[in-house]
Structure formats: structure tokens, C-alpha cells
Amino acid sequence: MDFKLDEAQREIAALAADVLGRESDTPWKALGETGLLALAVPERLGGDGLGVLETAVLLTEVGRKAVDVPALATLALGVLPIVRYGTPGQQDALLPLVTEQHGVLTAALSEPSTPFPPKPATTARREGSGYVVSGEKINVPHAASAHRILVTATTDQGSVVVVVDPAQPGSSISDSSVQLTEAYGEALQEGAAEGLRRFALAGACAVADGVLAGALDLTVRHLGTRHQFGKPLATFQAAACQVADVYVAARTLHLAALSACWSLDDNDLDTAAYWLAAEALPAVHTCHHLHGGLGLDITYPMHRYYGMAKELTRFVGGVEHRLGAIDVH
């Protein structure tokens, strides 16, 4: 199976790398102004009408540069599910928040001690044309800056995704936790809960793919230019073996992430998410170690890669949860 990027996807990657590489003050706004936040938005709303793979290419470049922007939250947890499961009216109301205002969307999927529950403890009941939602959510990316939060909840008929405005009564946000008490919102169409879970895992794996590739590239450059005993560190066998291990982890995650984003199949997604949880953070830790004291310098980017790998591991639920998900399937 050929997972090579096509011409349009290569152009997206190149443009994203250029924008993120030169824009240090307002990278999120810069991504919006170049049209990269509108990749998956329907053409009738001024977008490109593209899909998951093109969004994943952008997310990978965000990870590769280790830039702290709400791309995973807004694009994978917001735009993609709204495009797929939102009504035309919901799309008209929500997507311009991103494309025109460069606002932030996110989703609340996990609950205390329960990552990505198939039947959330958070409940929703019908009221008028919408739903009233109550429950506690954790690990909500960029919750404090979100204009809307997509909340998974359980009703008498099954799981739904309710779009909640956190500025309205009933929502309380602390860091990445969201407490909902009779918060009102509109539900996306049937199937949104399962679709949102798939988009979330695919997006996280795409970002992690970039994070590990970027950390590896930074480490290889460091070892090639830093000398000890008159020789580049890259010539030392111990360092070369550790870099080789990181390379294997990075290439495997890359292929797993591409497969997951291409198919959105549960087996592919769970495999990629497990590899993220089990291997990404240890591999970045190795890169950190190979930098020595330089890796601790806050002006050097290594700490950003480590922080992102740690957050992504937490977001997908950790190693044991991801292994359990594979066993279920």
C-alpha cells in the first residue's frame, strides 16, 4: 500500500513548515491567515473541502516544530467532526469561528479514571431542540480558551455529542478539566460520538508522529555538530545505537499513524495509539538524554518535544489503557 503524500499534501506540509518555522509570535493566527485552518471546511464556507489526511499532514508539521497551538483540539476534535456530523446550520454557525475568527474548538471525551469511555458517565437529556448536559470531563485540550466544546454524553437512546458554549451558564473550567451542570447545547447527528473518538485518536497520532520526527532530527543535528574528545558525538557507538532505536520507533509510529488516518479503522487506530503511548515518550526521553545538559535549557526546543509527548500520552489514556483497547478488538 502506497502511503506517499500526493502533490497537494506535500504543498500543505511545506506551507505549514514555512509558517511555523518563521512565525514565533502569533503562529495560530498565521496558520489561519494562510488558509491552513480551512483545509477540511466545506467549499461553500470558503474552505478547501479536503479531509482527514490533509488535516493530519498539518498536525504532523505542528508536532514536528513543537509549536504550542490548539491544532489538535480545533481541527481533529472540532472541525473534522462538525464537518462530518454537523447539520448545515451547525456548520454555518461553528466553522467560521475557526476560519474567520481563528477561534478555538475542542472536545471533552475522557472522564476521571476512564479515558474515552464508550458509555460516558456524563449524561444528557432532551430539552427543547437541544440537550442539557451534566458531568465531569478531564484531559480536555485548550479547554480554557475554547469557544465551543464538543461533549460526549449518554442519553436514554445511546451516546451523543453535544456542542456546549463554555461562556454560558452550567460550565466550569479548571485547567484541562470541565465540570458541566445543566449546561445546554445542540447535539451533532447520529454516530458523532464514535466518529469523534476516531478523529481524536487519529489526530493525536498525527501530532505524535511529528513530535518524534522533530525530536529525532534535532538530536541527530546535535550529535553531528557537538564534539567530545575531538570527535563528533555521532561517531560514538553508544550514541549511534540509541539514535537507531529512536529511528525505529519514529518510523514505526509514522507508518502506524498514516495507516490510522487513512483508514480510520479501529484496529489501525488502536495500534497507532498504543505505539504512541508505549514508545513516543521513552524515545523522546532518549533524545533528551543525548542532549545532556543542553536539553534542560528552556531556550532550547528539546523541552517542548518532551512536554508534547507527555501530554499526548496522557490524552490517549496511557499505555495500559491503549493495550486494553487492542485486546478488546
Side-chain angles (χ1 to χ4, degrees), residues 69-320:
V69 292
L72 172 63
T74 299
L75 302 179
L77 308 185
V79 171
L80 287 178
I82 289 169
V83 168
R84 179 72 62 87
Y85 298 103
T87 65
Q90 289 170 333
Q91 293 175 7
D92 293 347
L94 297 172
L95 296 178
L97 294 174
V98 177
T99 57
E100 297 176 9
Q101 301 179 33
H102 309 147
V104 177
L105 305 174
T106 192
L109 298 101
S110 295
E111 298 175 347
S113 302
T114 315
F116 294 83
K119 186 177 181 181
T122 300
T123 59
R125 72 171 191 276
R126 174 76 72 172
E127 186 170 298
S129 60
Y131 285 86
V132 171
V133 186
S134 296
E136 182 180 1
K137 297 289 188 177
I138 62 171
N139 293 336
V140 182
H142 293 272
S145 58
H147 290 68
R148 298 291 187 277
I149 302 176
L150 280 63
V151 181
T152 56
T154 300
T155 71
D156 292 339
Q157 287 75 43
S159 296
V160 296
V161 173
V162 181
V163 183
V164 172
D165 181 351
Q168 299 301 313
S171 301
S172 176
I173 298 174
S174 176
D175 296 325
S176 62
S177 298
V178 177
Q179 184 71 47
L180 301 163
T181 306
E182 301 285 290
Y184 184 80
E186 291 187 359
L188 299 182
Q189 298 181 87
E190 185 177 354
E194 184 59 23
L196 174 57
R197 181 189 66 83
R198 291 192 173 105
F199 288 139
L201 292 177
C205 291
V207 177
D209 175 18
V211 167
L212 193 44
L216 175 60
D217 183 60
L218 189 67
T219 304
V220 169
R221 293 202 308 269
H222 171 74
L223 294 179
T225 57
R226 194 65 174 258
H227 287 67
Q228 195 171 76
F229 305 115
K231 296 181 180 181
L233 290 176
T235 63
F236 290 82
Q237 186 176 22
C241 288
Q242 291 181 72
V243 167
D245 289 341
V246 175
Y247 176 80
V248 171
R251 290 300 298 168
T252 305
L253 178 57
H254 174 67
L255 293 174
L258 275 179
S259 179
C261 292
W262 181 80
S263 70
L264 291 181
D265 174 77
D266 280 337
N267 289 325
D268 289 339
L269 287 165
D270 288 335
T271 298
Y274 170 72
W275 196 263
L276 185 170
E279 300 295 338
L281 187 57
V284 175
H285 185 274
T286 297
C287 292
H288 214 299
H289 169 72
L290 288 169
H291 276 83
L294 179 62
L296 300 177
D297 186 348
I298 196 170
T299 64
Y300 189 75
M302 193 65 235
H303 71 281
R304 301 204 309 263
Y305 292 102
Y306 190 85
M308 289 185 74
K310 187 175 182 179
E311 288 300 318
L312 289 166
T313 301
R314 181 185 296 115
F315 176 73
V316 299
V319 179
E320 291 185 5

